Amino acid sequence: MKKSEIKFTVSLDDGNLPKSIEWDATDKETEGQESTRSISLNIWDNLNQSTLRIDLWTGDMSVAEMKRFYIDILGGMGQNILNSTGDEYYSEEIKALCDRLVKHVNEENEKK
C-alpha cells in the first residue's frame, strides 16, 4: 500500500501567533518546503460525529487574501460534494453563495 505524507511547520512569535507557515508533501511536484500565509485543515472525528478544525494564518496575510482564501475553500467544497455524492443541488447552493461573496468582496474593493 502506498503512503503519502503532508507536513506543516509553524513558527510562532512570542505571543504564540503564527509567524511563518511552511508545508511539504511526498506527492508534491516540487521538492522541499514551501511557504504559505494560511492553512485550513478539517478532520472528521468519527467517534464524536463532528469536525475538528485547524485554521492558521500569518500576520502578513491581508484581509482581502483571507476572504479570497475562504471563497476558494467554499468553491472547492462545492465541487467536492458534486464529485463525491453527485448532489447537484448542494453543489449549486455552495456555488451561488460563492458568487454572492465574490460580488460582496468586489464591491468592498471598489469602495477603497
Side-chain angles (χ1 to χ4, degrees):
M1 173 190 333
K2 179 181 177 182
K3 290 188 178 186
S4 182
E5 183 176 286
I6 301 169
K7 182 172 131 181
F8 297 100
T9 304
V10 181
S11 300
L12 305 173
D13 66 12
D14 293 336
N16 285 331
L17 298 173
K19 185 73 176 167
S20 67
I21 302 169
E22 294 183 330
W23 70 279
D24 199 3
T26 52
D27 290 343
K28 190 169 59 126
E29 289 183 12
T30 59
E31 288 190 31
Q33 289 191 330
E34 291 186 35
S35 293
T36 187
R37 292 182 181 173
S38 184
I39 60 172
S40 180
L41 179 63
N42 299 286
I43 302 166
W44 179 248
D45 179 357
N46 195 47
L47 179 64
N48 294 306
Q49 295 291 293
S50 63
T51 302
L52 306 172
R53 297 177 45 98
I54 300 171
D55 294 303
L56 299 172
W57 58 91
T58 62
D60 60 348
M61 186 169 193
S62 71
V63 171
E65 287 175 313
M66 181 65 74
K67 290 179 180 183
R68 171 69 190 269
F69 180 56
Y70 279 101
I71 291 169
D72 286 349
I73 289 171
L74 287 169
M77 289 177 174
Q79 187 60 52
N80 286 340
I81 199 74
L82 180 62
N83 294 346
S84 62
T85 69
D87 190 330
E88 291 182 25
Y89 175 81
Y90 200 113
S91 178
E92 287 300 317
E93 288 295 307
I94 293 174
K95 182 182 181 308
L97 171 60
C98 289
D99 290 344
R100 290 192 306 274
L101 291 172
V102 166
K103 180 181 178 194
H104 170 73
V105 168
N106 287 342
E107 288 172 355
E108 273 187 336
N109 290 337
E110 287 174 9
K111 291 178 184 177
K112 292 180 182 179

